[in-house]
Amino acid sequence: MGDPHVSFGDVNWMEERFNEAFGQDQGAGRHGWPMIRYFNKATGYGGKHYKQKTNQEVDAELGDEQRMRDYVQEKSGTSLCNVVWGNECSEMELKYIGKFVGHNIQRDRNSMQREKERWEGELQKGQGIFAQNKQRAVILGRLLDNFDNPEL
């Protein structure tokens, strides 16, 4: 399992048998090196390993700034989307925004609030895909914050 020569500072991961954190198997080296894992409320202390999207080495793939930003947003549930101007929004985010404030859509603050509460409830119960549910709740919160903005 893994490369016995991989070290981090004074710790040789294989010799030290650093495979566990908070009682959770970390799968050190199981998917190769470098080992990239993400942690969020849904993964808990065990985390999940990074699944490559290209044929490049992991360090080259995530060395691309846009890919790294996409990865952080995808797994954390954060969003850089500006709901008023549409800057930094993915196509999926723009489509979701369009359901609530698109052309020929009657705006309804109460339905937005109910939808936001629904996604927050899914997050609390640990149901669905964590990052998508979080992004939906974030987008709806921003729409509600800007509900009276004439530019929206």
Side-chain angles (χ1 to χ4, degrees):
M1 177 172 108
D3 181 346
H5 304 291
V6 175
S7 296
F8 182 75
D10 293 334
V11 177
N12 181 304
W13 288 70
M14 288 303 293
E15 288 176 9
E16 303 291 333
R17 301 281 185 226
F18 184 78
N19 297 331
E20 217 176 82
F22 300 102
Q24 299 289 312
D25 179 24
Q26 297 300 303
R30 186 173 299 138
H31 297 282
W33 298 99
M35 185 182 90
I36 307 293
R37 294 183 74 74
Y38 67 94
F39 302 85
N40 59 34
K41 186 174 181 178
T43 67
Y45 290 127
K48 298 269 186 188
H49 79 278
Y50 173 71
K51 293 180 185 170
Q52 288 181 253
K53 297 185 181 206
T54 70
N55 291 328
Q56 295 179 302
E57 296 291 326
V58 173
D59 55 340
E61 184 170 303
L62 292 177
D64 176 276
E65 186 176 332
Q66 188 57 50
R67 276 198 201 107
M68 178 57 92
R69 291 178 95 184
D70 292 345
Y71 172 59
V72 170
Q73 284 185 296
E74 176 186 328
K75 298 305 180 187
S76 67
T78 62
S79 174
L80 299 174
C81 181
N82 179 323
V83 299
V84 175
W85 300 106
N87 301 350
E88 299 286 336
C89 300
S90 69
E91 285 183 41
M92 187 169 36
E93 288 170 322
L94 291 172
K95 186 176 179 181
Y96 190 67
I97 291 166
K99 290 181 177 183
F100 298 95
V101 296
H103 298 292
N104 300 320
I105 300 292
Q106 181 67 39
R107 291 187 193 179
D108 183 351
R109 186 187 307 258
N110 291 330
S111 71
M112 281 186 213
Q113 185 63 43
R114 281 191 305 273
E115 187 77 358
K116 180 177 183 274
E117 289 168 2
R118 180 175 86 109
W119 293 119
E120 289 172 339
E122 296 286 310
L123 286 167
Q124 291 297 322
K125 292 183 244 173
Q127 295 178 333
I129 299 172
F130 171 83
Q132 285 181 352
N133 292 351
K134 178 107 168 126
Q135 284 173 332
R136 289 174 181 143
V138 166
I139 295 290
L140 287 163
R142 291 178 186 166
L143 286 171
L144 287 164
D145 289 345
N146 288 283
F147 191 84
D148 296 322
N149 186 333
E151 300 292 335
L152 183 63

